[in-house]
Amino acid sequence: QEGLVEHGGGLVHAGGSLNVSCAASESILYLHAKAWFRQAPGKEREFVASISGTGDITHYSDSVKGRFTISRDNAERMVYLQMRSLKPEDTAVYYCAGTGRRVLASSRVNDYEYWGQGTQVTVSP
């Protein structure tokens, strides 16, 4: 379903930092788990990070652990992804996702019913 909008993608040099954010439509009453996925050309969508409704549980893929930080601000209906020490292999379209169901920080695509349109993140060598 529609209802999420990402912002903050762009071009950054390897080793740099970039922040992306995702805003939920006012038509969505509440989202429990939220997550970030990414998809590079010719590859399937892969899990990046997820966060539980209250923010007490987070999960990260091994490839981004220690470099990326997911956070949320429920009052502002926002979820964020802080990306540090970026690598060229991080280049992808980044999608935010959310679910109104009581799913705790799932890493599975099919557990999320709300999706953003994606924002391009490009990391140059």
Side-chain angles (χ1 to χ4, degrees):
Q1 293 185 243
E2 300 178 352
L4 304 178
V5 179
E6 302 96 337
H7 286 93
L11 175 66
V12 64
H13 197 71
S17 299
L18 191 67
N19 298 329
V20 292
S21 62
C22 176
S25 169
E26 293 181 352
S27 65
I28 303 174
L29 294 179
Y30 182 74
L31 293 176
H32 288 276
K34 292 184 176 181
W36 289 94
F37 294 81
R38 66 187 183 187
Q39 188 166 18
K43 304 191 69 175
E44 294 189 344
R45 191 166 301 184
E46 66 175 354
F47 170 75
V48 176
S50 61
I51 186 168
S52 62
T54 58
D56 58 321
I57 301 173
T58 58
H59 294 294
Y60 298 91
S61 68
D62 290 339
S63 63
V64 308
K65 191 173 300 181
R67 300 187 297 118
F68 290 12
T69 302
I70 187 171
S71 61
R72 65 189 293 166
D73 185 335
N74 289 339
E76 298 295 330
R77 306 171 63 84
M78 300 285 290
V79 61
Y80 307 92
L81 185 67
Q82 298 172 294
M83 299 178 285
R84 304 175 299 278
S85 301
L86 282 161
K87 307 173 181 178
E89 50 263 46
D90 293 319
T91 295
V93 176
Y94 282 69
Y95 299 89
C96 66
T99 177
R101 299 187 293 268
R102 300 187 68 179
V103 177
L104 293 177
S106 173
S107 63
R108 298 177 61 86
V109 169
N110 290 339
D111 281 338
Y112 297 91
E113 71 267 29
Y114 294 99
W115 290 86
Q117 80 289 347
T119 186
Q120 178 70 47
V121 173
T122 302
V123 184
S124 62

